[in-house]
Amino acid sequence: MTTTTSKPEVGHGTAAEKEKWLRAYRQMVSIRLFEEQVNEVYTRALMPGLAHLYSGEEAVAVGICEALRIDDYITSTHRGHGHCLAKGASPDRMFAELLGKEAGYCRGKGGSMHIADPATGNLGANAIVGGSVGIATGAAFAAKNLGTDRVAICFFGEGALGQGSLYEVMNLAQLWKLPVIYVCENNLYNEYTRYQETTAGTILGRATAFGIEAMSVDGQDVRAVNEVAARLVNRARAGVGPAFLQCDTYRYSGHHVGDINREYYRSKQEEQLWKTDRDPILVLAKWLIELSYADAASLDRITAEVRATMESAVKFAIAAPYPNVDEVEKHVYA
Amino acid sequence: MPEREITFAQAVREALAEEMRRDARVCIIGEDVAEAGTPFKVLSGLVEEFGAQRVVDTPISEAGFTGVAVGAAMTGLRPVVDIMFGDFITLTMDQMANQAAKAHYMSGGHWKVPMVMRTTLGATRRSAAQHSQSLHAWFSHVPGLKVVLPSTPYDAKGLLKAAIRDENPVVFFEDKMMYKLKGPVPEDDYTIPLGVADVKRAGDDITLVATSSMVQVALGAAILLEKEGISAEVVDPRTTWPLDEKTLIDSAKKTSRVIVLDEGYGRYGVTAELAAVIAEGAFYDLDAPVRRMGAMHVPIPFSPPLEDATVPTEQTVFDAARRMCKAA
Ligand SMILES: Cc1ncc(C[n+]2csc(CCOP(=O)(O)OP(=O)(O)O)c2C)c(N)n1
Ligand SMILES: [Mg+2]
């Protein structure tokens, strides 16, 4: 049982390492700019439904998914764009899904909260808070039963700590030593309510009560997240059992795009502090420059390239056709 | 040579054993399914043949292990979940209705959930309000699920094998009062397609559409009716979804009188749906409004005379059918 905050390893200066962290940087920028476009498209009333932005939490999804293989599984949440991108989804098909177009990952039938993609092991985002804890644990059960060494990651917000099914499956996972890692993204708020008002005791204590290896990490530091994730993933892959990782993080925007006036539940100063002092992209950029893995100009170039990709993804999605109405009755049954 | 007869419980077990031998991905997950073989002893012997990795005892966590089955089904296994009493499906509702039923559709057809949930229904076991309900209407209401209601040992084996081979989540309701019922069951491998009704007895004057436990009641009533010179046809839909509307409507058109029998609560239940399908499809051929008989709209009481009053019996069905035929 470990409940300490892990320390990131310092760089070893290898080319592979440089490439890895530049890739992580690009991934985080991709998520940030993807969400920037979502905000834009949403406020222009081009996107139906709801949009829950992942901005601010990029280091969690990227740090974890960088420790995974393409055939490892993830389950995601209503705030799931970051998880999908970090696991390898392509922005154009994601945007198409967000706009309800046939070219989308789910042929337009899932939308923002349900992106799923077998090719990248994405079992699906879930709009029921805590709704995918069983699915992730079941994927780990199948991996173990079928003798593969795949690992399942279950992403959820700290709001899901209120769901009893989480405790049922954590008990099962530890009894059966399943290769599943429960990743709790603690962004401090369940919708419009501070998590302290909804959460008795400690977060990690919930996992350690089952004897599950549990720890917390600075979710704004992608290297720290990745280092601990790699350790837990290897451990799970080797058959040692499940783990629980609390990632302390923050969402920059409202609960969803329309949540504008939010001073009744959190202050502007608090938001600003996270953005200036603990921004995951700035934190990594600073480190990359310190180690001469990049300079300001090369990072700007990455941002410009990503921005162009996101803009063309949006264009693709806007131009893409809606599904034919006869699609409505397809895929109810396999 | 006379056909082999086995019990309903043995038919269920035989279907599972055959499918587990045929396909290594099939596994059983639930409470007391292994050494205990369930409280009804339906699964006795399976853990001895297939081992604890394929007949998996769980904690008392219906939502948890049903969710695990959904994820396992999506990623390569074909789990058969055991929910000891049908009353406990309430605890699995999110996993079944929001996860299993929708994963295929929401993913645009990318993910599939080939799992079966086996559970029970049926009152008159003196088990009171939380161990006696027939809640199959709840699942029948949800697009993406299939619901199977076997009424004989023969149907139980063939339908369960089809359910296990199905690529969708299927809920399989077994009448716990029927486990000891014996009937002819071939030793061979056979399946019964989901969505095909069965005429359990042919007749001309009235159709008794009956599901699960009510099929035996309808057949008993038909014998009483025959003594009165009334010829009753008994039609068993066998699955509430997919539903073989044509067989129900054809029978209604032929006999012109219909009573629909189902052990679920009558209000907003399976009888309402079947009666509506028949009324829409055979209205101009009917001589009387379709009549519905189901469980009374009360929590199922413990006291035997009270409990017995809550479900249709051979006698109450006989009375209702005779009145309907004599009125003409
Ligand atoms: C079972 C359920 N209850 C309520 C909701 C409505 N809801 C959507 S998101 C949310 C808050 C979730 O908070 P958290 O899990 O911390 O995730 P975050 O939004 O902070 O990423 C709520 C209450 C829901 N989707 N599902
Ligand atoms: Mg939260």
Side-chain angles (χ1 to χ4, degrees):
Chain A
M1 266 198 282
T2 319
T3 54
T4 53
T5 305
S6 67
K7 302 264 181 308
E9 265 172 56
V10 264
H12 297 102
T14 63
E17 200 191 46
K18 173 179 169 181
E19 194 188 318
K20 169 178 170 172
W21 294 117
L22 284 172
R23 185 171 62 233
Y25 184 82
R26 180 180 290 269
Q27 282 282 33
M28 291 203 294
V29 171
S30 295
I31 296 170
R32 181 71 55 87
L33 297 185
F34 182 93
E35 298 295 50
E36 207 175 279
Q37 289 293 331
V38 174
N39 189 58
E40 168 79 11
V41 168
Y42 194 90
T43 40
R44 281 167 62 204
L46 291 171
M47 179 181 159
L50 283 176
H52 306 86
L53 304 185
Y54 196 70
S55 316
E57 306 188 17
E58 295 88 349
V60 178
V62 173
I64 302 274
C65 291
E66 186 64 40
L68 299 179
R69 298 194 314 231
I70 185 107
D71 65 341
D72 287 327
Y73 295 112
I74 64 163
T75 62
S76 169
T77 70
H78 58 286
R79 197 176 305 290
H81 305 159
H83 310 137
C84 299
L85 284 166
K87 195 66 175 53
S90 82
D92 49 357
R93 289 187 62 202
M94 279 184 64
F95 261 116
E97 189 59 38
L98 265 55
L99 301 193
K101 302 300 182 70
E102 191 181 359
Y105 272 105
C106 313
R107 305 178 61 81
K109 292 196 284 205
S112 162
M113 296 196 286
H114 298 296
I115 293 175
D117 176 27
T120 57
N122 182 350
L123 289 161
N126 214 298
I128 304 293
V129 169
S132 70
V133 297
I135 294 173
T137 309
F141 178 84
K144 179 164 184 176
N145 220 286
L146 294 167
T148 74
D149 65 349
R150 291 174 170 185
V151 169
I153 301 290
C154 182
F155 287 107
F156 54 88
E158 85 296 335
L161 296 171
Q163 291 288 356
S165 51
L166 174 64
Y167 306 106
E168 296 191 13
V169 298
M170 286 204 300
N171 184 48
L172 293 172
Q174 176 67 356
L175 278 173
W176 299 338
K177 298 285 181 279
L178 301 182
V180 56
I181 299 168
Y182 302 99
V183 176
C184 176
E185 301 179 310
N186 181 14
N187 62 10
L188 307 180
Y189 296 92
N190 311 177
E191 226 169 45
Y192 318 115
T193 304
R194 284 191 76 83
Y195 90 96
Q196 289 94 335
E197 292 172 38
T198 61
T199 314
T202 66
I203 292 179
L204 294 181
R206 287 159 159 74
T208 55
F210 296 105
I212 291 180
E213 175 88 356
M215 57 194 65
S216 65
V217 67
D218 177 0
Q220 304 310 88
D221 182 344
V222 70
R223 290 183 304 122
V225 173
N226 180 250
E227 192 253 344
V228 63
R231 193 146 41 80
L232 297 178
V233 167
N234 289 339
R235 188 177 165 278
R237 224 187 272 300
V240 181
F244 185 103
L245 181 60
Q246 171 186 340
C247 299
D248 296 314
T249 186
Y250 200 76
R251 67 165 152 78
Y252 284 176
S253 320
H255 172 61
H256 59 90
V257 172
D259 174 25
I260 312 266
N261 300 317
R262 42 184 189 270
E263 282 190 81
Y264 70 93
Y265 71 87
R266 67 183 209 187
S267 69
K268 286 222 165 82
Q269 296 91 294
E270 179 185 292
E271 293 186 0
Q272 200 48 50
L273 224 61
W274 280 87
K275 288 180 188 173
T276 47
D277 293 8
R278 300 186 65 182
D279 181 71
I281 295 176
L282 294 180
V283 168
L284 183 63
K286 186 161 169 278
W287 182 80
L288 287 169
I289 291 169
E290 263 170 28
L291 265 79
S292 304
Y293 282 170
D295 55 25
S298 63
L299 295 183
D300 285 349
R301 252 194 324 276
I302 292 177
T303 305
E305 282 166 21
V306 170
R307 178 161 280 124
T309 305
M310 294 306 157
E311 282 167 2
S312 81
V314 171
K315 280 207 191 86
F316 165 82
I318 290 174
Y322 284 112
N324 199 306
V325 175
D326 67 12
E327 179 79 25
V328 69
E329 283 195 302
K330 280 188 197 149
H331 305 126
V332 180
Y333 293 94
Chain B
M1 205 173 77
E3 252 196 289
R4 179 186 66 141
E5 293 216 342
I6 58 175
T7 66
F8 191 97
Q10 287 167 332
V12 168
R13 175 161 61 243
E14 187 164 288
L16 283 163
E18 285 180 15
E19 291 307 296
M20 290 177 83
R21 274 174 219 135
R22 191 185 60 81
D23 185 345
R25 300 168 301 175
V26 179
C27 57
I28 295 173
I29 305 176
E31 295 155 19
D32 286 326
V33 293
E35 280 74 16
T38 80
F40 301 105
K41 302 293 166 207
V42 177
L43 306 182
S44 298
L46 292 181
V47 73
E48 285 77 5
E49 178 173 354
F50 299 103
Q53 199 181 330
R54 294 182 67 195
V55 185
V56 183
D57 267 341
T58 66
I60 305 161
S61 305
E62 285 79 5
F65 68 73
T66 301
V68 165
V70 177
M74 290 170 73
T75 55
L77 293 178
R78 301 181 81 85
V80 180
V81 164
D82 187 293
I83 301 291
M84 202 180 280
F85 284 84
D87 310 70
F88 311 157
I89 65 162
T90 53
L91 297 154
T92 72
M93 246 4 193
D94 183 61
Q95 297 309 316
M96 294 304 287
N98 279 327
Q99 310 301 338
K102 295 175 173 54
H104 188 64
Y105 191 83
M106 289 196 307
S107 68
H110 287 311
W111 290 111
K112 288 182 198 164
V113 188
M115 68 179 281
V116 175
M117 173 180 280
R118 288 180 45 253
T119 190
T120 60
L121 58 68
T124 69
R125 199 166 166 271
R126 315 310 180 211
S127 308
Q130 297 172 337
H131 285 73
S132 305
Q133 298 171 94
S134 302
L135 298 178
H136 46 291
W138 294 27
F139 285 135
S140 307
H141 190 64
V142 180
L145 300 179
K146 297 185 179 181
V147 179
V148 184
L149 299 165
S151 66
T152 65
Y154 175 85
D155 285 358
K157 179 175 171 184
L159 290 167
L160 183 52
K161 286 165 70 83
I164 292 170
R165 296 181 198 186
D166 202 280
E167 294 300 324
N168 300 283
V170 180
V171 189
F172 192 88
F173 282 90
E174 298 161 14
D175 174 15
K176 50 184 154 338
M177 300 304 287
M178 215 187 270
Y179 278 135
K180 296 202 171 87
L181 178 84
K182 273 196 163 181
V185 176
E187 277 169 70
D188 354 317
D189 172 36
Y190 67 94
T191 59
I192 299 171
L194 309 185
V196 179
D198 186 39
V199 177
K200 289 281 191 271
R201 174 196 165 107
D204 300 313
D205 301 325
I206 185 166
T207 298
L208 305 176
V209 174
T211 64
S212 184
S213 52
M214 288 296 112
V215 172
Q216 298 304 326
V217 170
L219 289 170
I223 292 168
L224 299 177
L225 288 164
E226 194 177 307
K227 292 179 188 145
E228 298 268 316
I230 297 169
S231 158
E233 176 147 301
V234 176
V235 181
D236 175 4
R238 295 201 286 207
T239 48
T240 53
W241 198 263
L243 179 63
D244 181 355
E245 300 189 356
K246 184 172 183 301
T247 300
L248 304 189
I249 291 167
D250 286 351
S251 176
K253 284 180 172 172
K254 182 176 86 173
T255 64
S256 79
R257 296 180 195 90
V258 182
I259 299 178
V260 183
L261 297 155
D262 175 87
E263 206 181 325
Y265 298 125
R267 300 272 194 279
Y268 304 95
V270 166
T271 55
E273 177 64 21
L274 299 185
V277 163
I278 292 163
E280 282 170 3
F283 183 78
Y284 295 104
D285 295 280
L286 293 177
D287 287 334
V290 180
R291 170 97 204 260
R292 301 186 284 141
M293 298 178 79
M296 284 172 70
H297 209 61
V298 297
I300 295 164
F302 168 69
S303 177
L306 298 186
E307 182 179 32
D308 290 345
T310 66
V311 283
T313 62
E314 285 177 14
Q315 191 60 44
T316 58
V317 174
F318 164 75
D319 290 343
R322 188 177 55 171
R323 234 176 294 126
M324 212 165 173
C325 293
K326 294 279 147 93

